[in-house]
């Protein structure tokens, strides 16, 4: 990361099992809307928010992410969480990144369906000292279109402004929550895994290189 100028960076955490065009399009739209210099994809080692019994080995999820972001100079990967042996908690990742790059202006990106449960995240109040948030209105989730603060944040944040269709809320430390409406693509990793498992095509749902990797390595053939 660039240490000379204050970098505006999006942090996109997820399982990415596998990464799909919905993730990539969402990251690109948010990057443009918030004028971010970079978006860092952060694959989770053991996702604390998920009840998945089977997660594809991190090496393969990382390979697929590398293939997916390789042609976008404004996308990169942070593999910090994969190097840990314990569950990956966002608060620890944010602490780590703030320690490395104290001058970066971070926007942690989360789908509205996840952000709505923010008070269940570890040390959730601390999250807002460490980062701004970009909340994505995820296509296909009926309740996700509302730019509405979760109840737990109503006392700390107040409405600030709207810019280019993005609604901003602000707290006393000037940390922002940006509710971004994206056009997006209604795709999920679950759908991709199911398609592969039942022998259906995933063309145009994931980058061609990722499709090729999945088929070549026989991933998702026995799951679900
Ligand atoms: P799964 O189907 O296994 O639950 P997923 O498709 O939701 O996976 P994740 O890796 O869990 O993918 O998602 C990481 C982040 O990306 C989450 O914040 C999620 O809300 C967001 N996200 C996932 N798919 C989309 C999409 N199509 N458009 C916008 N955001 C998305």
């Amino acid at each position: 990361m660039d240490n000379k100028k204050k970098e505006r960076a999006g942090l996109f955490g997820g399982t990415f099992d596998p990464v799909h065009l919905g993730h990539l399009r969402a990251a690109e739209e948010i990057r443009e809307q918030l004028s971010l210099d970079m978006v860092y994809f952060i694959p989770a080692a053991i996702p604390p928010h998920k009840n998945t019994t089977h997660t594809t080995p991190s090496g393969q999820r990382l390979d697929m992410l590398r293939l997916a972001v390789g042609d976008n100079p404004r996308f990169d990967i942070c593999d910090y969480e994969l190097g840990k042996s314990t569950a990956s908690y966002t608060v620890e990742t944010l602490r780590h990144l703030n320690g490395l790059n104290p001058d970066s202006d971070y926007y942690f990106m989360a789908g509205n369906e996840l952000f709505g449960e923010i008070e269940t995240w570890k040390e959730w109040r601390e999250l807002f000292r460490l980062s701004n948030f970009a909340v994505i209105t995820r296509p296909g989730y009926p309740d996700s279109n509302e730019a509405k603060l979760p109840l737990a944040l109503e006392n700390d944040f107040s409405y600030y402004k709207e810019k280019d269709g993005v609604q901003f809320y602000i707290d006393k430390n000037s940390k922002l929550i940006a509710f971004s409406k994206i056009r997006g693509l209604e795709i999920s990793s679950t759908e991709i895994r199911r398609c592969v498992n039942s022998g259906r095509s995933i063309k145009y749902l994931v980058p061609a290189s990722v499709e090729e990797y999945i088929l070549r390595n026989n991933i998702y053939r026995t799951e679900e």
Side-chain angles (χ1 to χ4, degrees), residues 12-27 42 47 50 52 61 108-115 121 134 136-139 141 182-193 223-224:
F12 199 9
T15 322
F16 302 116
D17 192 13
V19 59
H20 52 68
L21 294 184
H23 294 129
L24 296 167
R25 184 62 209 166
I42 311 179
K50 292 215 166 178
T52 350
R61 287 184 290 123
F108 190 87
M109 298 159 58
N112 212 346
E113 87 282 3
L114 287 181
F115 191 72
W121 296 27
I136 308 166
T137 55
R138 182 171 174 176
Y141 281 71
I182 56 165
R183 193 168 53 102
L185 299 167
E186 195 180 331
I187 302 173
S188 73
S189 300
T190 305
E191 179 190 358
I192 309 285
R193 295 196 297 273
E223 201 194 336
E224 296 176 354

Side-chain angles (χ1 to χ4, degrees), residues 31 38 44 99 136 153 223:
R31 189 192 62 70
M38 288 295 292
I136 308 166
L153 296 177
E223 201 194 336

Side-chain angles (χ1 to χ4, degrees), residues 155-174:
N155 286 337
D156 298 336
F157 281 84
S158 51
Y159 186 76
Y160 178 42
K161 64 176 178 183
E162 176 178 336
K163 188 168 178 275
D164 303 329
V166 183
Q167 316 258 0
F168 289 91
Y169 288 77
I170 194 162
D171 73 357
K172 63 178 189 321
N173 302 315
S174 301

Side-chain angles (χ1 to χ4, degrees), residues 17 32 37-39 50 65 70 103 106 109 113 130 135 142 150 158-159 166 178-179 208:
D17 192 13
E32 250 185 345
D37 300 305
M38 288 295 292
V39 174
K50 292 215 166 178
L65 263 178
D103 288 333
Y106 288 124
M109 298 159 58
E113 87 282 3
L130 296 165
V135 184
S158 51
Y159 186 76
V166 183
F179 285 89

Side-chain angles (χ1 to χ4, degrees), residues 180-224:
S180 287
K181 268 210 178 75
I182 56 165
R183 193 168 53 102
L185 299 167
E186 195 180 331
I187 302 173
S188 73
S189 300
T190 305
E191 179 190 358
I192 309 285
R193 295 196 297 273
R194 287 199 182 130
C195 281
V196 177
N197 188 242
S198 55
R200 280 178 290 139
S201 167
I202 54 167
K203 211 177 261 309
Y204 315 124
L205 296 175
V206 297
S209 53
V210 172
E211 178 199 9
E212 202 259 330
Y213 184 95
I214 290 171
L215 299 181
R216 182 158 41 85
N217 291 284
N218 233 2
I219 312 175
Y220 309 126
R221 297 301 277 180
T222 54
E223 201 194 336
E224 296 176 354

Side-chain angles (χ1 to χ4, degrees), residues 11 13 21 46 54 56 71 79 106 132 136 177 213 215 218:
L11 304 173
L21 294 184
I46 308 157
H54 176 268
T56 305
D71 64 352
D79 63 3
Y106 288 124
N132 306 288
I136 308 166
I177 300 174
Y213 184 95
L215 299 181
N218 233 2

Side-chain angles (χ1 to χ4, degrees), residues 2-170:
D2 182 356
N3 282 328
K4 290 181 204 85
K5 108 182 196 313
K6 192 165 176 146
E7 183 185 54
R8 289 171 61 78
L11 304 173
F12 199 9
T15 322
F16 302 116
D17 192 13
V19 59
H20 52 68
L21 294 184
H23 294 129
L24 296 167
R25 184 62 209 166
E28 183 68 358
E29 285 190 53
I30 300 287
R31 189 192 62 70
E32 250 185 345
Q33 281 178 351
L34 299 181
S35 308
L36 304 175
D37 300 305
M38 288 295 292
V39 174
Y40 296 96
F41 289 71
I42 311 179
I46 308 157
H49 298 288
K50 292 215 166 178
N51 271 331
T52 350
T53 46
H54 176 268
T55 308
T56 305
S58 46
Q60 288 187 321
R61 287 184 290 123
L62 189 58
D63 282 348
M64 291 189 275
L65 263 178
R66 286 203 181 104
L67 291 168
V69 306
D71 64 352
N72 188 335
R74 295 203 177 270
F75 284 179
D76 205 346
I77 297 165
C78 163
D79 63 3
Y80 168 73
E81 295 189 0
L82 296 183
K84 299 177 73 195
S85 53
T86 51
S88 20
Y89 288 105
T90 300
V91 69
E92 287 156 13
T93 305
L94 291 177
R95 269 195 199 112
H96 167 77
L97 289 174
N98 273 291
L100 278 183
N101 308 291
D103 288 333
S104 286
D105 213 2
Y106 288 124
Y107 283 80
F108 190 87
M109 298 159 58
N112 212 346
E113 87 282 3
L114 287 181
F115 191 72
E117 303 168 349
I118 193 75
E119 76 274 15
T120 65
W121 296 27
K122 189 182 173 198
E123 292 182 57
W124 63 273
R125 287 189 186 279
E126 182 67 7
L127 296 171
F128 298 97
R129 282 198 343 98
L130 296 165
S131 182
N132 306 288
F133 271 73
V135 184
I136 308 166
T137 55
R138 182 171 174 176
Y141 281 71
D143 296 336
S144 117
N145 257 332
E146 258 184 284
K148 197 170 177 308
L149 279 181
L151 219 59
L153 296 177
E154 275 184 357
N155 286 337
D156 298 336
F157 281 84
S158 51
Y159 186 76
Y160 178 42
K161 64 176 178 183
E162 176 178 336
K163 188 168 178 275
D164 303 329
V166 183
Q167 316 258 0
F168 289 91
Y169 288 77
I170 194 162

